[in-house]
């Protein structure tokens, strides 16, 4: 398990990186926690790696009005331990505890996880659950992409050649939240994971946000389940109904780890547990 | 490409291809064979080292990315012939076992105790979950880490 040969360039600026990425066959190297294993197994064969680890200007967490903006190169461990993130985007802080181990979170980046677009990964699902905005810079300038439009399929995003993911903007969401995940090994990618936030007012659900990882080609937003909960008193019967809607929103794959029907059933089980936890 | 870095306090330098992992660079080019290579995709934790003060999988980094970095391998844990308190505890509690996964486990345990000086058994187990021990004898390792936690460093 050794990587095939490639050219390597250490970008000194964002402009530098974008110029280098215009080369065919190039790929961004951020934390490398997904990419280097793929290189080692020769599942990825880029001709050029553009290393952005020197771009300190892409590593920050800052509160900006009703958003928390996080630079793409911010290490996952730094996001997880940020007081701002813990207070203002608690779902993100909680999700990070499921993302690999400390040693991988020390290196892995927020932007890298989103750009890698693994449908079983936690961070893309959190971005979809919270309607994060993804900031991208390329040869044509800057653009902002909603998380739900960003993911196209397994390991596929709408990023075009030469574009670099530079930051992610999360709306401040201090709502009650919960995550339930089933994985084969501790901290592994999800077989199925459900991410929920619930805001309540006068004993009723004012707003729920629900996303599922590992149960479709991209992270899935369970819109019908959210609508079902809206305005309702969140008793066990309502949560059970919502859990069925969460399962119905999924489009799970079958592979050697689990058949689709099992994943769909687990989406309901985990969805109900997560909702129950979030509403106490 | 030439890579220059500090390993266990000593400046080191060697040439390597960009595809060389930091684990292979430390072992083969610099001779720090305490860096053990297991799965080569970040799962087993055997190659865990400390890079600029935080643990990292040496198999999931390229050597060229470590240019200018400060690395500690298991060879750098003892000081002046004195074992690190974790190494002492591993010896006393038979946490070493076959020794293959030990260098990585020691790096993780040292980072855990630096951030959490008195971890619960559950916290030790969560930290160790990033290491696959094929002796399967996790209990002695947990005992050793907890024993080291109550010792003055």
């Amino acid at each position: 398990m050794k990587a095939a040969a490639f050219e390597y360039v250490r970008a000194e600026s964002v402009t530098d990186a974008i110029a280098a990425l215009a080369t065919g066959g190039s790929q961004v190297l951020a934390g490398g926690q997904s990419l280097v294993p793929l290189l080692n197994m020769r599942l990825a064969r880029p001709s050029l790696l553009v290393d952005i680890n020197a771009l300190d200007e892409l590593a920050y967490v800052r509160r900006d009005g009703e958003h928390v903006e996080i630079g793409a190169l911010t290490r996952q461990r730094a996001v997880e331990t940020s007081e701002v993130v813990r207070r203002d985007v608690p779902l993100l802080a909680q999700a990070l505890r499921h993302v690999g181990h400390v040693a991988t979170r020390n290196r892995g980046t927020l932007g890298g996880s989103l750009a890698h677009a693994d449908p079983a990964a936690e961070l893309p699902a959190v971005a979809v659950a919270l309607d994060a905005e993804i900031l991208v810079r390329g040869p044509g300038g800057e653009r902002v992409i909603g998380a739900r439009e960003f993911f196209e399929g397994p390991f596929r995003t709408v990023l075009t050649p030469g574009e670099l993911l530079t930051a992610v903007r999360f709306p401040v969401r201090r709502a009650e939240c919960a995550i339930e995940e089933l994985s084969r090994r501790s901290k592994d990618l999800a077989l199925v994971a459900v991410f929920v936030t619930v805001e309540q007012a006068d004993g009723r659900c004012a707003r729920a946000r629900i996303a599922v990882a590992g149960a479709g080609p991209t992270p899935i937003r369970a819109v019908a389940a959210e609508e079902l909960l809206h305005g309702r008193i969140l008793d066990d019967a309502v949560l059970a109904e919502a859990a069925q809607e969460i399962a119905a929103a999924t489009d799970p794959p079958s592979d050697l780890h689990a058949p689709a029907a099992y994943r769909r059933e687990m989406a309901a089980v985990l969805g109900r547990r997560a909702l129950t936890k979030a509403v106490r | 490409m030439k890579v220059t870095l500090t390993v266990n306090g000593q400046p080191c330098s060697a040439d390597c291809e960009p595809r060389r992992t930091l684990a292979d660079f430390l072992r083969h080019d610099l001779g720090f064979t305490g860096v053990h290579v297991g799965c080569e995709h970040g799962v087993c934790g055997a190659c865990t080292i400390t890079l600029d003060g935080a643990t990292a999988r040496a198999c999931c980094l390229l050597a060229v990315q470590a240019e200018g970095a400060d690395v500690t391998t298991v060879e750098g844990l003892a000081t002046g012939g004195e074992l690190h308190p974790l190494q002492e505890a591993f010896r006393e509690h038979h946490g070493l076992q076959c020794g293959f996964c030990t260098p990585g486990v020691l790096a993780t345990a040292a980072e855990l105790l630096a951030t959490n000086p008195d971890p619960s058994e559950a916290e030790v187990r969560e930290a160790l979950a990033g290491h696959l021990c094929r002796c399967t004898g996790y209990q002695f390792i947990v005992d050793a880490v907890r024993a080291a936690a109550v010792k003055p460093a």
Side-chain angles (χ1 to χ4, degrees):
Chain A
M1 299 222 298
K2 302 294 173 191
F6 48 77
E7 298 290 318
Y8 170 88
V9 56
R10 190 178 294 126
E12 303 291 346
S13 69
V14 170
T15 318
D16 227 24
I18 292 167
L21 286 170
T23 317
S26 62
Q27 205 159 349
V28 177
L29 173 63
Q33 300 303 290
S34 299
L35 179 57
V36 177
L38 290 178
L39 294 172
N40 288 349
M41 292 186 275
R42 301 202 176 194
L43 294 170
R45 296 283 295 261
S47 52
L48 170 69
L49 278 192
V50 181
D51 184 351
I52 62 166
N53 281 279
L55 306 184
D56 293 338
E57 71 262 39
L58 296 184
Y60 60 87
V61 176
R62 63 176 168 242
R63 176 75 190 257
D64 174 18
E66 284 310 295
H67 288 87
V68 174
E69 186 174 309
I70 305 175
L73 195 68
T74 313
R75 305 292 165 186
Q76 291 161 2
R77 184 72 173 159
V79 176
E80 174 192 355
T81 55
S82 156
E83 284 305 318
V84 173
V85 173
R86 287 186 175 181
R87 185 186 63 226
D88 294 338
V89 200
L91 185 70
L92 177 59
Q94 280 187 29
L96 278 155
R97 297 202 57 194
H98 296 266
V99 181
H101 301 278
V102 173
T104 50
R105 298 202 291 273
N106 281 337
R107 300 299 308 173
T109 65
L110 174 66
S113 177
L114 296 188
H116 184 58
D118 190 324
E122 293 84 1
L123 299 181
V126 171
V128 164
L130 299 182
D131 289 316
E133 295 171 334
I134 294 165
L135 278 59
V136 167
R137 250 182 276 169
E142 195 159 27
R143 62 182 180 131
V144 180
I145 307 161
R148 279 198 257 183
E149 286 76 55
F150 185 72
F151 301 103
E152 274 196 329
F155 310 101
R156 279 212 333 271
T157 69
V158 298
L159 286 174
T160 57
E163 279 189 321
L164 180 69
L165 197 167
T166 55
V168 188
R169 285 164 62 82
F170 290 91
V172 170
R173 301 261 182 252
R174 292 185 182 172
E176 293 302 328
C177 58
I179 299 165
E180 286 290 321
E181 174 164 332
L182 176 71
S183 61
R184 293 174 58 238
R185 273 185 309 235
S186 163
K187 315 295 179 185
D188 213 335
L189 290 159
L191 269 183
V192 183
V194 184
F195 303 77
V196 307
T197 70
V198 182
E199 292 159 49
Q200 294 190 78
D202 306 323
R204 290 173 185 272
C205 177
R207 183 76 213 253
R209 292 183 172 80
I210 306 168
V212 190
T218 64
I220 284 170
R221 184 75 178 258
V223 179
E226 293 175 2
E227 285 169 359
L228 182 144
L229 292 170
H230 189 77
R232 304 280 288 274
I233 295 168
L234 298 177
D235 58 24
D236 285 351
V238 170
L239 298 187
E241 249 183 276
Q244 291 310 314
E245 287 293 351
I246 293 172
T250 63
D251 176 19
S254 281
D255 58 26
L256 76 168
H257 304 310
Y262 175 73
R263 283 188 159 94
R264 185 173 288 121
E265 179 62 24
M266 286 312 297
V269 170
L270 299 172
R272 184 169 174 179
R273 281 187 201 158
L275 285 168
T276 306
K277 215 190 251 184
V279 306
R280 302 283 178 249
Chain B
M1 288 177 79
K2 188 171 173 135
V3 176
T4 303
L5 72 174
T6 305
V7 185
N8 304 328
Q10 297 298 313
C12 298
S13 180
D15 275 308
C16 73
E17 282 189 84
R19 61 173 161 169
R20 191 81 147 161
T21 66
L22 180 59
D24 286 341
F25 183 73
L26 289 167
R27 282 182 65 83
H28 300 298
D29 300 322
L30 301 181
F32 294 98
T33 51
V35 180
H36 289 177
V37 175
C39 71
E40 292 187 275
H41 60 280
V43 171
C44 79
C47 68
T48 305
I49 48 126
T50 305
L51 181 92
D52 291 334
T55 55
R57 305 285 207 227
C59 77
C60 291
L61 273 161
L62 301 174
V64 288
Q65 289 180 276
E67 174 66 32
D70 189 355
V71 167
T72 304
T73 68
V74 71
E75 288 95 338
L77 215 49
T79 42
E82 288 286 311
L83 289 180
H84 186 280
L86 271 165
Q87 291 172 309
E88 277 292 353
F90 270 61
R91 191 170 69 175
E92 280 169 28
H93 293 268
H94 189 47
L96 289 161
Q97 302 171 148
C98 88
F100 187 81
C101 69
T102 312
V105 171
L106 287 169
T108 294
E111 181 174 57
L112 171 69
L113 297 187
T115 52
N116 181 358
D118 189 17
S120 66
E121 178 167 341
E123 287 168 330
V124 173
R125 287 186 182 279
E126 181 172 346
L128 293 177
H131 295 270
L132 301 185
C133 159
R134 295 190 73 176
C135 305
T136 70
Y138 297 94
Q139 185 59 49
F140 295 147
I141 302 176
V142 173
D143 293 345
V145 175
R146 297 204 71 204
V150 298
K151 273 190 187 175

